[in-house]
Amino acid sequence: MFDIKAPKTKEALAQFNHEFSIFIRLEDCENIADLFNTIRLLQNLARGNKILEALLRMIQSISAFLNKNKAFDRKLTLTTLTAIKEDFDSIIYSASMSDDASIKAYRHSLSLFHDLKHRIALAPYQPLLEELKSAILSLEWEINPDTTHAFSLKVNRLKMKWQSNKLYDSFLNILHALGQYTHKKKASADEEAVVLIRTVYDHLETIVTKPGLTFEQKKSLLLDDIQRYRTFKAKIQPKKTRPAAEKPIAEADIPELKPALSQFSSQTDSASMEVDELVSLSDEQLVAQEIEDKNLKSAPIQPPSKPKTDVMDDLFNPKASPVDDLLDKIHLMNVLGKDKAAAPGMMESQEAGFEEQGMKSYAPGKKDQQPIEEITNRIDDFFDIGSSAAPAKKKTPPAPDRNKIPKGPIGPLVHAVNRASRELNLPNVNEISIKLSQLKTALKKDPNIRIADKPGEFNSLIDAIDSLVNTMIQGMK
Amino acid sequence: MALVNVKTKEVQVKIVYYGPGRGGKTTNLEYINKKYRERLKTQMVSLKTHDDRTLFFDFLPFDVGKIKGFQIVIQLYTVPGQVKYNETRKVVLGGVDGIVFVADVQLNQRKRNIESLNQLYENLKTHQLDLFKMPLVMQYNKIDLKNQNIPIIPSRIMQKDLNSHLKAPAFEASALKGGNVIPTLKRIVSMTLASIQDELF
Ligand SMILES: Nc1nc2c(ncn2[C@@H]2O[C@H](COP(=O)(O)OP(=O)(O)O)[C@@H](O)[C@H]2O)c(=O)[nH]1
Ligand SMILES: [Mg+2]
């Protein structure tokens, strides 16, 4: 039992008060050891009194924090510390204090303590939140590539920091999606997008900075925002069933124009000409292409600027390339004047040297030739990584270089399927090739990938191979 | 003209993407470059003005492998679109083997498509080349815009405007989303190679 009148207790309290007042004034390392000693003494004496034990622990940890962290808001920390000490004093010195009053004082301290802890935890993110907020202000001012970019950047930074916090991350996901939308739509973005960004941000800020909220309260804020986002999304989504008259312009409304090259063509009746070959592109094909490309490029995305080399780099690269040639010509043209430099003779003058090096040139000519099979096969092989647009074609037996079996975990499988496709001309085989190549790409990026990571891809692959084997068996019968 | 090194058995084929400015030529090459990044082993070179428009040209070379013992190197170029760069356009067309004409299907680009194609004919003439005898593929780009309530030219009219006389194979495309970019490319590459196959292979 903690007995305020016992001499031992009186002495311990006197020491504690003394060390505490020094610490508050100086906050120095040597004194903190003494302060901790007196706290430990009191903790022993107060053993069993949960309230006093807890208050002493708070005082101890805040002092330790103050001593170590000089950067954090000292005023706030000191105010909290003294307030808790006052609660502690009020409990032990007022003999008449009821249990209820003690509990009230304790609760007061506890909330101060939590508040401080929360602010300390938040400190590293506070600047990021503020940056996000000011990015939103700019976005409210004007939607342009700079502001949308800055906004996404800030959202992503916080996302990295808060990866493990599902709740925060969910808010950030909504912001991220809205950011993408405004970036894509630019000035034509629905005004509500920015309003919604603001609302979601305010809720995130509330949740992050206001410590007192219960989990239920936080969750309900999030659910509200998710609902708002869904409503917004439904609103901006282009209507699937739009009146047919709306998209294509009525041909009758398009004025007659003289077709290109009319003055150069020997042909006279252009109006009745047969349209010779038009490959159209349906919405479905377009969507399919996008999905396919997404699958192919899923994992590591290089920064978009990377494939393009810096202009200066290229200009100063000592290695001669056709680009250097062209640049020289363009440069010469600027220096000599276009007539001299761009004269066709210039192009040919180069070729004299070429021939000595074994170079020959062939003039192209449209002879409406069908390409020989070797050309078609080579091009198909090169370009079909997963191009669903390419219909399965009959192919000739493999050229020698195609018999090389590719390395890697599923390389041999890809090879076998490709051969089956060429030699047996099986249906569905193209689709399987596509899946295999996608898988191969995924494996290339991450050799440690496990089936469990991509169950969908593996399962559909297994199904596809299964049906292929069936077809083959039937074919053999 | 296709350059062939008889000693090393390497064939260089030059394909130029031509068309009105902002039509999507660079976007075609960027898509190809992105999609085949791993396979190309080469880098795309873009010489751009500060506002992201093609300054001189874009250049994307790649090796498609061997055909009948010849190593085939395809070089893709774009030309700058701005009117004032016509001299550069002419230079880039030097030695061209195949052309993709990238037209913009937006209704307000209709005249520019026609003008650009007429200019292509003239520019080729300065190299003693005849557009009517060149491997050529038409691409009607930005077809995706029809879903965004932007007035576009129906493909039948595109054909009439641009392809009445040339009768080249034509593709509706969306370079931005990758729709028919590769089929366009495959087509021009195979046409171009076919045009020299008799002499070469
Ligand atoms: N919607 C849409 N925009 C496109 C398409 N292709 C290109 N663009 C856009 O049109 C603009 C000009 O494209 P760019 O490739 O630079 O044209 P270039 O001048 O012919 O090289 C860019 O903003 C592209 O994003 C397309 O297929 N659809
Ligand atoms: Mg360009």
Side-chain angles (χ1 to χ4, degrees):
Chain A
M1 225 14 242
F2 189 79
D3 181 7
I4 183 79
K5 291 188 186 99
K8 248 191 183 168
T9 314
K10 266 191 179 165
E11 198 193 319
L13 276 174
Q15 273 180 25
F16 171 59
N17 288 338
H18 176 68
E19 296 297 343
F20 186 82
S21 64
I22 297 178
F23 178 74
I24 291 288
R25 263 181 284 127
L26 304 174
E27 305 152 27
D28 79 310
C29 302
E30 277 177 40
N31 161 246
I32 201 166
D34 296 336
L35 178 66
F36 281 1
N37 281 336
T38 62
I39 290 176
R40 227 167 285 131
L41 235 117
L42 281 177
Q43 274 168 338
N44 279 334
L45 293 167
R47 185 151 298 152
N49 185 328
K50 291 268 182 285
I51 290 182
L52 294 183
E53 278 186 88
L55 289 173
L56 285 167
R57 262 203 311 278
M58 291 179 205
I59 293 171
Q60 188 182 21
S61 59
I62 297 175
S63 314
F65 175 77
L66 252 180
N67 195 48
K68 249 196 283 169
N69 292 278
K70 308 286 183 201
F72 187 74
D73 189 346
R74 304 195 72 68
K75 206 172 140 218
L76 175 76
T77 322
L78 275 173
T79 320
T80 310
L81 182 59
T82 16
I84 294 174
K85 172 76 164 54
E86 274 162 23
D87 284 332
F88 177 81
D89 288 347
S90 75
I91 294 173
I92 55 172
Y93 289 119
S94 60
S96 60
M97 193 174 240
S98 66
D99 281 358
D100 278 356
S102 301
I103 289 171
K104 209 177 145 204
Y106 165 71
R107 286 234 169 96
H108 174 248
S109 276
L110 191 65
S111 87
L112 287 178
F113 183 74
H114 278 318
D115 191 30
L116 179 68
K117 237 174 82 174
H118 184 81
R119 279 173 202 278
I120 291 169
L122 183 65
Y125 309 115
Q126 195 81 48
L128 293 181
L129 266 179
E130 257 143 40
E131 282 173 25
L132 176 58
K133 193 176 190 164
S134 77
I136 293 174
L137 280 175
S138 316
L139 206 59
E140 283 172 339
W141 183 251
E142 189 188 359
I143 296 178
N144 65 38
D146 289 341
T147 57
T148 54
H149 180 72
F151 173 75
S152 298
L153 204 75
K154 307 298 173 200
V155 172
N156 283 331
R157 280 216 191 124
L158 278 170
K159 267 182 83 70
M160 306 235 281
K161 295 265 179 198
W162 277 332
Q163 257 166 2
S164 53
N165 188 323
K166 262 234 150 75
L167 186 72
Y168 295 174
D169 196 48
S170 306
F171 279 100
L172 291 171
N173 280 338
I174 302 178
L175 290 175
H176 182 75
L178 290 168
Q180 298 248 299
Y181 165 78
T182 45
H183 182 72
K184 219 165 88 188
K185 292 285 164 169
K186 303 194 180 67
S188 65
D190 191 312
E191 279 171 32
E192 211 187 303
V194 183
V195 178
L196 191 52
I197 285 180
R198 187 51 192 246
T199 313
V200 176
Y201 172 81
D202 285 344
H203 290 163
L204 174 65
E205 196 194 61
T206 308
I207 285 178
V208 172
T209 57
K210 291 239 168 66
L213 296 181
T214 64
F215 181 70
E216 281 308 314
Q217 286 170 314
K218 293 177 185 175
K219 207 171 95 184
S220 102
L221 277 177
L222 174 64
L223 292 179
D224 283 354
D225 283 350
I226 290 178
Q227 193 46 53
R228 281 192 187 93
Y229 173 67
R230 288 203 178 127
T231 314
F232 175 74
K233 217 170 118 188
K235 181 179 142 192
I236 56 163
Q237 215 111 71
K239 304 276 172 301
K240 289 245 164 57
T241 50
R242 74 172 71 231
E246 209 177 311
K247 49 177 170 177
I249 311 284
E251 278 183 34
D253 293 346
I254 295 178
E256 280 288 327
L257 276 187
K258 204 160 128 196
L261 307 168
S262 297
Q263 62 274 44
F264 311 120
S265 173
S266 47
Q267 260 180 306
T268 40
D269 80 318
S270 61
S272 68
M273 67 120 201
E274 295 267 319
V275 171
D276 156 84
E277 180 192 331
L278 173 70
V279 181
S280 56
L281 182 65
S282 70
D283 292 353
E284 292 73 28
Q285 283 170 312
L286 208 52
V287 172
Q289 182 74 57
E290 281 185 284
I291 292 171
E292 184 193 305
D293 288 347
K294 247 180 218 141
N295 283 340
L296 283 175
K297 316 174 193 140
S298 51
I301 297 174
Q302 289 180 4
S305 57
K306 206 177 167 204
K308 291 171 220 145
T309 338
D310 183 66
V311 176
M312 285 308 162
D313 270 3
D314 284 312
L315 291 180
F316 294 125
N317 193 340
K319 194 179 70 190
S321 75
V323 173
D324 300 314
D325 251 18
L326 263 186
L327 280 174
D328 284 351
K329 279 175 196 156
I330 293 168
H331 181 69
L332 268 177
M333 181 179 82
N334 291 334
V335 177
L336 302 176
K338 58 185 183 184
D339 296 338
K340 275 190 197 141
M346 232 198 83
M347 308 290 164
E348 272 92 46
S349 68
Q350 243 186 358
E351 280 160 57
F354 276 6
E355 253 162 55
E356 284 154 32
Q357 296 164 30
M359 299 294 270
K360 270 192 179 171
S361 65
Y362 290 86
K366 185 159 102 183
K367 299 170 201 102
D368 288 322
Q369 294 234 68
Q370 281 303 312
I372 51 174
E373 266 176 328
E374 282 87 347
I375 292 178
T376 313
N377 288 342
R378 185 64 261 177
I379 293 173
D380 284 349
D381 269 7
F382 183 83
F383 286 110
D384 292 352
I385 332 179
S387 164
S388 53
K393 276 198 191 110
K394 259 194 194 156
K395 296 183 179 178
T396 46
D401 59 333
R402 283 200 302 206
N403 281 333
K404 242 191 276 160
I405 296 184
K407 292 200 181 70
I410 61 165
L413 198 50
V414 176
H415 180 74
V417 171
N418 284 341
R419 258 194 66 188
S421 131
R422 277 197 304 270
E423 287 167 20
L424 305 172
N425 191 30
L426 291 171
N428 302 327
V429 96
N430 246 31
E431 207 182 308
I432 301 166
S433 299
I434 291 168
K435 291 208 178 80
L436 277 167
S437 324
Q438 287 172 352
L439 210 59
K440 214 170 132 187
T441 317
L443 282 166
K444 224 189 221 158
K445 284 172 189 152
D446 178 8
N448 300 319
I449 199 166
R450 289 161 305 138
I451 291 187
D453 295 336
K454 298 215 162 190
E457 268 171 48
F458 279 96
N459 284 340
S460 69
L461 177 64
I462 290 164
D463 287 350
I465 292 176
D466 208 42
S467 83
L468 172 68
V469 171
N470 277 336
T471 325
M472 283 169 91
I473 291 170
Q474 272 162 24
M476 278 186 256
K477 272 183 200 160
Chain B
M1 77 262 26
L3 289 175
V4 180
N5 189 325
V6 256
K7 282 186 196 153
T8 60
K9 296 200 104 183
E10 188 184 280
V11 183
Q12 273 178 30
V13 172
K14 176 171 180 175
I15 290 168
V16 175
Y17 282 64
Y18 196 100
R22 315 286 299 156
K25 300 176 292 293
T26 301
T27 311
N28 262 278
L29 260 62
E30 282 170 344
Y31 178 82
I32 297 162
N33 185 45
K34 209 158 95 194
K35 178 149 181 162
Y36 294 97
R37 199 189 295 131
E38 287 175 21
R39 198 167 289 202
L40 296 185
K41 296 183 215 101
T42 39
Q43 286 204 323
M44 174 165 167
V45 176
S46 272
L47 302 176
K48 290 193 170 177
T49 57
H50 66 280
D51 59 348
D52 217 32
R53 305 195 53 174
T54 307
L55 175 58
F56 295 137
F57 50 82
D58 306 299
F59 174 62
L60 178 61
F62 57 92
D63 192 331
V64 290
K66 279 189 182 155
I67 298 176
K68 291 203 162 183
F70 283 93
Q71 195 72 33
I72 311 291
V73 177
I74 308 288
Q75 300 174 338
L76 305 182
Y77 287 85
T78 72
V79 294
Q82 290 99 311
V83 178
K84 62 178 173 185
Y85 289 136
N86 194 37
E87 294 311 317
T88 308
R89 271 197 292 280
K90 278 190 203 163
V91 175
V92 176
L93 280 172
V96 63
D97 297 307
I99 291 170
V100 175
F101 186 82
V102 181
D104 189 329
V105 298
Q106 292 180 85
L107 191 58
N108 57 17
Q109 297 299 307
R110 195 171 164 217
K111 277 207 179 109
R112 291 185 62 222
N113 290 330
I114 296 175
E115 281 160 12
S116 175
L117 188 58
N118 283 333
Q119 193 190 50
L120 170 63
Y121 177 87
E122 299 284 2
N123 285 345
L124 284 171
K125 239 166 70 177
T126 67
H127 293 285
Q128 272 93 50
L129 290 171
D130 184 350
L131 179 59
F132 286 89
K133 294 180 185 149
M134 295 278 300
L136 169 75
V137 170
M138 289 282 169
Q139 186 184 71
Y140 306 144
N141 189 37
K142 306 197 185 178
I143 201 86
D144 57 291
L145 290 177
K146 71 173 171 223
N147 293 329
Q148 288 179 38
N149 266 340
I150 291 172
I152 66 162
I153 311 165
S155 290
R156 232 181 56 81
I157 304 284
M158 293 296 285
Q159 288 280 60
K160 211 150 117 190
D161 282 353
L162 306 173
N163 215 3
S164 292
H165 301 292
L166 291 164
K167 300 199 159 113
F171 290 83
E172 292 182 351
S174 167
L176 196 65
K177 295 173 186 258
N180 274 348
V181 169
I182 303 305
T184 306
L185 174 62
K186 282 174 71 172
R187 191 62 198 265
I188 190 62
V189 170
S190 76
M191 275 173 84
T192 310
L193 289 174
S195 79
I196 52 170
Q197 69 194 12
D198 289 350
E199 290 150 281
L200 194 60
F201 302 127

